[in-house]
Amino acid sequence: MYSEGSSSRNQHDWDSDDDLEVFGMPQQTNQHTVSMESGSACSTAKNRNLIHHFLGMGFSVQEVIKAIEKHGEDNEENILERLLTLATTIEDPTGEASREQCDSAKKSVSGIDIDNDDAGPETEEDAFTSEKDETSSILVNMGYSFKDALIAVDNCGLGADLGELTDFICAAQLEKEIKSHLKHRPNRKHDASLHMHKRSRDHYYNGKRKSRMYCRASQKKPLEMDMEEIELSIPTNGFSIAKGIYPGVARKLPDKLEGPPYFYYENVALAPIGVWKKISNFLYGIQPEFVDSKFFCASTRKRGYIHNLPTENRSPLLPIQPLIVQEALPNTRKWWPKWDQRRHLNCLLTSIGAATVTEKIRRDLEECGAETPPPDVQDTVLKLCKKWNFVWVGKNKVAPLEPDEYEMLLGFPKDHTRGGGISRTDRYKALGNAFQVDTVAYHLSVLKDLYPNGINVLSLFSGIGGAEVALHRLGIKLNNVVSVEVSEVNRNIIHCWWEQTEQRGNLFEVEDVQRVTSEHIMEWITRFGGFDLVIGGSPCNNLSGSNRVSRDGLEGEHSSLFYEYYRIVNEVMQAQR
DNA sequence: TATAACCAGATCCAACCG
DNA sequence: CGGTTGGATCTGGTTATA
């Protein structure tokens, strides 16, 4: 159909940063506004280390942050000098003043006074506050608000690691959004997502570290009340990520990028250094929003998303998936040993663990004989289980996930990739490369109110149709969809899905993204009256950490197709604005 | 410094086919 | 019998984080 004409991409043309200015946009502008209620310097890794360094010397958070702001993070000597000066002039070198500040903020946020008793300066309470200061400051410098940080530390305890704390904040943020969404829904009691709240909390609060002495605060007040206080300053940024990459936060896009046509780009979060910066530069300086899909399903999937969609009033796809693997796969629950404390799976990859590995695990465990194997055996088995995402399917018996379990966890309909001539191996491959539908749908949910009559979609690198499925599950009508996908098997999957879901719109299947010409794009735009959304995730083969052979970065054989994505998005943007 | 995680790719080998 | 196909197995480096 589109056999004539080539995009004739010259890669070197794209390598030049001079070409980046589009629509008069300056490069590398920061459209995000980070909400920080306590003063803070920019949140770089260096900055974090510096704060750690001075906190370790006994200075308070506020003093350190002020000193860094005044002198800059490169001027360590001056910072130290200022801190020493402050320490000799302030009457309270133990940090009591900062403790008061901290407590004041804490009270104003949660409304609880956890310091009812009159503790002296040398009590455990002092140690608590100091350590709390330090932990909170790290969170603040990761971009979270001071309030969120304090509440997270209160609830998770000081023994909690950063991952738990950020998980807490993000889970609370998501929950608050969900609650907000549900307020406007009729018949709330039947909503599956309500059940998720309790489970989610159990997961985050009851999973581990119960033995802390600082539980008093959370015992005094139900968790739910504290959760209400969490602000939505950093929506769904599930993890801290590479240096120089920015959290997905509330933002204000320049006028020139706001409104339709919308575009949405996805790729692996943990790409080689500099890749996301380069992608961001091409995509008009918009900074990536990093999300871990473990907030939407029972497996992790760390991905970066660059888009010009509104970020307000997002709503989750319903029903919400179980976030705990034993609930997502209830048949495994009875076989899960106590010493395997996994609650979510690692990233679903394109290949699975070998039968020989599961057999070795079974043999090793049986040889132990005892109900609880010795620690070294536990350790070995756990490492293998994590590496290959094994689940427990019998006594001493682990197994890789089945393709239909992949489908469920990724949010696709059952048997979406089954049949039609596709092999089991190819199903794993296709699913391992796919979107996590619930995550993407969460971002796309804002389109529902904008396009009540349906949308026209240009879907690039469609794969097995994650974008199409997400939009359909959101209840957004698909008027015209141009789906570009090189794999015939994948095209067939989308085609079958389109038929099965009785779509009323038109599906146009295109094979090669490199042969999509300007003429094609203009033809479609004329025919449909324009695209409302251009969506796709370009190949990650040369970016993925799993690739040990050709991790060549954005210029790699497959991943360089990103430039095709950019080319096409840019043409649509220019044609329709 | 040690550890864990990662939308993968190359190779081997058995089954299949003309 | 030679070639092809596809499934199972084997392969280890980069990166972030504690």
Side-chain angles (χ1 to χ4, degrees):
Chain A
M1 177 179 176
Y2 300 107
S3 58
E4 293 299 313
S6 146
S7 64
S8 66
R9 179 174 63 82
N10 180 344
Q11 194 164 306
H12 297 294
D13 291 342
W14 302 103
D15 286 340
S16 162
D17 283 349
D18 296 333
D19 291 333
L20 298 185
E21 193 151 324
V22 183
F23 313 133
M25 277 291 304
Q27 297 166 31
Q28 280 190 274
T29 51
N30 182 356
Q31 283 88 25
H32 296 266
T33 51
V34 182
S35 158
M36 291 195 201
E37 302 192 4
S38 135
S40 110
C42 60
S43 50
T44 62
K46 182 176 180 181
N47 186 295
R48 254 195 320 272
N49 291 337
L50 203 58
I51 290 176
H52 254 303
H53 174 65
F54 287 118
L55 287 172
M57 294 167 73
F59 298 107
S60 78
V61 181
Q62 276 75 16
E63 289 166 8
V64 172
I65 289 176
K66 276 183 189 169
I68 292 176
E69 280 184 336
K70 183 169 175 65
H71 296 287
E73 59 187 42
D74 292 321
N75 212 333
E76 197 171 325
E77 275 187 26
N78 285 4
I79 295 168
L80 180 60
E81 195 174 322
R82 179 174 171 82
L83 288 169
L84 288 169
T85 310
L86 281 169
T88 55
T89 52
I90 294 175
E91 286 183 358
D92 174 22
T94 62
E96 196 72 17
S98 70
R99 175 193 164 191
E100 281 170 18
Q101 276 181 279
C102 178
D103 290 350
S104 160
K106 176 173 61 199
K107 289 173 192 173
S108 70
V109 169
S110 62
I112 335 165
D113 185 353
I114 65 168
D115 299 323
N116 286 337
D117 42 359
D118 294 320
E122 300 299 327
T123 63
E124 289 175 341
E125 206 63 56
D126 274 345
F128 166 55
T129 308
S130 166
E131 197 177 340
K132 188 170 169 179
D133 264 2
E134 181 175 347
T135 310
S136 304
S137 79
I138 295 166
L139 288 167
V140 165
N141 279 277
M142 287 168 71
Y144 296 100
S145 80
F146 196 51
K147 275 192 234 172
D148 291 1
L150 284 173
I151 293 169
V153 175
D154 269 350
N155 282 284
C156 298
L158 287 170
D161 58 35
L162 272 181
E164 285 178 70
L165 293 165
T166 54
D167 281 1
F168 176 94
I169 296 173
C170 293
Q173 286 166 347
L174 182 58
E175 174 162 336
K176 184 170 181 182
E177 289 196 49
I178 291 166
K179 280 184 177 173
S180 161
H181 170 71
L182 293 176
K183 277 180 191 168
H184 306 293
R185 287 171 54 84
N187 202 17
R188 292 178 61 196
K189 65 179 177 182
H190 296 305
D191 212 308
S193 57
L194 286 173
H195 301 297
M196 170 266 189
H197 298 160
K198 176 68 167 57
R199 284 203 297 269
S200 174
R201 276 199 295 274
D202 287 349
H203 170 53
Y204 289 112
Y205 312 120
N206 299 342
K208 41 188 170 176
R209 299 186 201 276
K210 287 192 174 178
S211 61
R212 49 188 183 262
M213 55 183 267
Y214 306 116
C215 281
R216 288 181 302 151
S218 48
Q219 282 165 359
K220 284 188 175 179
K221 191 178 178 188
L223 285 168
E224 193 165 346
M225 295 174 71
D226 276 356
M227 306 272 283
E228 291 286 1
E229 300 294 337
I230 297 282
E231 291 205 326
L232 300 177
S233 52
I234 309 177
T236 68
N237 177 37
F239 49 101
S240 54
I241 194 71
K243 300 163 191 139
I245 295 186
Y246 326 91
V249 294
R251 64 177 183 187
K252 174 79 175 75
L253 287 173
D255 291 344
K256 289 181 178 177
L257 289 173
E258 272 193 349
Y262 294 105
F263 70 89
Y264 187 87
Y265 176 79
E266 180 259 13
N267 215 318
V268 291
L270 296 164
I273 289 173
V275 166
W276 271 109
K277 190 175 179 187
K278 192 162 189 179
I279 291 173
S280 171
N281 279 350
F282 273 94
L283 297 177
Y284 317 120
I286 298 176
Q287 293 162 17
E289 177 174 13
F290 291 102
V291 184
D292 189 336
S293 291
K294 72 178 178 182
F295 297 110
F296 296 88
C297 68
S299 68
T300 63
R301 201 170 189 81
K302 295 172 182 176
R303 296 291 179 272
Y305 304 88
I306 293 183
H307 59 84
N308 64 340
L309 291 162
T311 54
E312 299 84 22
N313 302 318
R314 288 167 166 175
S315 57
L317 196 56
L318 300 175
I320 286 172
Q321 287 206 31
L323 301 184
I324 299 171
V325 61
Q326 290 84 358
E327 291 183 7
L329 306 169
N331 292 340
T332 70
R333 181 193 287 274
K334 69 179 287 193
W335 303 113
W336 216 277
K338 282 181 181 166
W339 47 269
D340 183 350
Q341 298 207 338
R342 285 179 297 157
R343 292 294 174 268
H344 60 262
L345 296 164
N346 281 333
C347 187
L348 305 186
L349 303 177
T350 56
S351 56
I352 59 168
T356 49
V357 183
T358 60
E359 168 60 11
K360 184 181 182 304
I361 287 175
R362 191 192 61 78
R363 214 171 43 234
D364 288 353
L365 290 175
E366 283 195 351
E367 280 173 8
C368 295
E371 194 64 31
T372 305
D376 59 320
V377 176
Q378 284 183 25
D379 190 52
T380 312
V381 170
L382 272 177
K383 276 181 183 164
L384 287 169
C385 285
K386 288 177 181 174
K387 179 176 180 182
W388 294 112
N389 255 343
F390 290 144
V391 293
W392 296 89
V393 295
K395 185 172 169 60
N396 297 333
K397 197 163 79 166
V398 294
L401 292 171
E402 289 294 314
D404 62 331
E405 291 167 334
Y406 263 53
E407 287 170 348
M408 179 196 66
L409 290 164
L410 292 171
F412 288 93
K414 183 168 164 50
D415 296 335
H416 183 69
T417 60
R418 191 179 182 189
I422 187 171
S423 70
R424 185 179 159 89
T425 306
D426 282 343
R427 287 181 76 188
Y428 283 118
K429 194 155 202 157
L431 286 159
N433 284 316
F435 283 171
Q436 204 290 322
V437 170
D438 303 70
T439 311
V440 172
Y442 181 66
H443 294 151
L444 299 179
S445 61
V446 296
L447 294 171
K448 183 162 178 160
D449 289 338
L450 292 174
Y451 297 100
N453 298 319
I455 60 174
N456 298 326
V457 182
L458 177 51
S459 172
L460 304 173
F461 311 102
S462 300
I464 56 174
E468 289 85 344
V469 172
L471 290 164
H472 174 66
R473 288 191 58 195
L474 283 165
I476 298 171
K477 193 177 154 200
L478 299 167
N479 293 340
N480 294 288
V481 174
V482 176
S483 172
V484 184
E485 168 58 35
V486 70
S487 157
E488 186 183 357
V489 171
N490 287 349
R491 285 200 306 276
N492 289 341
I493 289 172
I494 296 176
H495 186 88
C496 289
W497 172 84
W498 189 269
E499 299 289 329
Q500 282 170 11
T501 51
E502 297 177 347
Q503 299 289 331
R504 298 290 183 84
N506 306 306
L507 174 67
F508 300 87
E509 299 168 57
V510 181
E511 183 180 341
D512 189 352
V513 71
Q514 292 181 286
R515 294 167 79 168
V516 172
T517 64
S518 305
E519 289 70 33
H520 294 137
I521 295 169
M522 289 312 297
E523 182 192 324
W524 293 324
I525 288 174
T526 308
R527 185 166 174 180
F528 310 146
F531 288 108
D532 305 307
L533 174 68
V534 183
I535 185 168
S538 62
C540 67
N541 310 33
N542 310 115
L543 309 180
S544 165
S546 295
N547 189 341
R548 300 179 295 276
V549 181
S550 57
R551 199 181 187 189
D552 305 325
L554 203 56
E555 315 308 324
E557 182 187 353
H558 305 286
S559 296
S560 58
L561 287 171
F562 159 75
Y563 297 108
E564 294 295 337
Y565 176 89
Y566 166 72
R567 174 179 67 84
I568 293 170
V569 164
N570 201 34
E571 289 204 24
V572 171
M573 295 285 271
Q574 287 184 320
Q576 294 186 208
R577 280 172 179 265

